[in-house]
Amino acid sequence: PLSRMASGFDSGLNLGGTTQPTGISSESFSLRSFSKPHIVIAHILFRGSALVVYILANLFSSSFIVQLLLLITLNSMDFWTVKNITGRLLVGLRWWNFVDEEGHNHWKYESAKDPSRFAALDSRVFWGALVLAPVLWTFLAIIAFMTFKWEWMLATLFGLVMTGANLYGYLRCRWADTTQFTNYVSKWAFLSILRNQRPTTDQQPMQQTV
């Protein structure tokens, strides 16, 4: 069974800093602008480390086996850190699963009771990096496929699966079920179409003068 709970797991979420006001001047932007700067840095570093190693793989080792093992290790560390630490501390979300005594797999999607206690800037960085990573792995997988580098495509697919799993898990934390998520995406797509079509509908045809 799937569930989404606002449970007491957020009792110790205010670690690493205090909640900052949402309005932040661009002139005074710095690490102090974040409520939890150390967690934000860790989130970005773990998200980007495997991507950097993939792009600069030949600088680390000439052996593909060593490169692949390094990528698997970094992606696994990123998956665990984002799933268990940064998501909980930056946006108050957590997803996990357990197996009961009968061998059934149960998935849990939890959210903090008061989302407003988490800084908006921290949240934007979290979601931005969460979405960007699988997008980049997809792009790299396409390049590997088009250049017939099948071994590297295997490495990119592993990165895509690991980062995509976290993205899916946190999307399920934010929306109670797949129906709500589908409705949100449909509404967003519909509004995007309306915004794109508005200039053309408002524009008046030019009249030719003789």
Side-chain angles (χ1 to χ4, degrees), residues 1-49:
L2 301 174
S3 65
R4 181 178 186 268
M5 302 180 297
S7 62
F9 87 97
D10 60 338
S11 57
L13 284 171
N14 198 24
L15 299 176
T18 57
T19 303
Q20 300 292 333
T22 55
I24 297 174
S25 173
S26 58
E27 297 179 356
S28 61
F29 179 82
S30 66
L31 287 178
R32 294 182 179 179
S33 302
F34 296 101
S35 173
K36 303 178 179 66
H38 297 91
I39 306 300
V40 171
I41 292 175
H43 182 69
I44 296 175
L45 289 179
F46 276 101
R47 293 268 84 182
S49 58

Side-chain angles (χ1 to χ4, degrees), residues 9-171:
F9 87 97
D10 60 338
S11 57
L13 284 171
N14 198 24
L15 299 176
T18 57
T19 303
Q20 300 292 333
T22 55
I24 297 174
S25 173
S26 58
E27 297 179 356
S28 61
F29 179 82
S30 66
L31 287 178
R32 294 182 179 179
S33 302
F34 296 101
S35 173
K36 303 178 179 66
H38 297 91
I39 306 300
V40 171
I41 292 175
H43 182 69
I44 296 175
L45 289 179
F46 276 101
R47 293 268 84 182
S49 58
L51 288 165
V52 172
V53 170
Y54 178 87
I55 297 173
L56 305 176
N58 291 329
L59 297 180
F60 295 92
S61 175
S62 58
S63 171
F64 173 74
I65 300 300
V66 174
Q67 296 168 351
L68 181 61
L69 291 176
L70 182 59
L71 288 171
I72 291 176
T73 301
L74 291 175
N75 274 306
S76 300
M77 293 172 60
D78 168 65
F79 175 82
W80 187 90
T81 303
V82 174
K83 176 179 177 294
N84 296 288
I85 299 177
T86 62
R88 179 173 179 265
L89 296 178
L90 295 180
V91 292
L93 301 175
R94 182 176 67 177
W95 66 275
W96 52 286
N97 72 303
F98 68 93
V99 180
D100 60 20
E101 298 178 353
E102 299 179 355
H104 298 141
N105 204 21
H106 299 264
W107 293 88
K108 301 293 184 180
Y109 303 96
E110 300 180 336
S111 63
K113 296 179 180 179
D114 183 15
S116 63
R117 62 187 293 189
F118 301 95
L121 184 59
D122 292 11
S123 178
R124 286 195 291 267
V125 172
F126 173 83
W127 285 106
L130 192 72
V131 173
L132 183 60
V135 170
L136 292 177
W137 282 117
T138 301
F139 176 73
L140 293 174
I142 294 174
I143 293 179
F145 176 79
M146 296 182 64
T147 55
F148 304 104
K149 296 181 179 179
W150 312 119
E151 68 279 2
W152 286 109
M153 189 176 70
L154 177 65
T156 59
L157 289 178
F158 181 81
L160 177 59
V161 169
M162 299 296 281
T163 56
N166 259 328
L167 176 60
Y168 175 79
Y170 280 113
L171 289 177

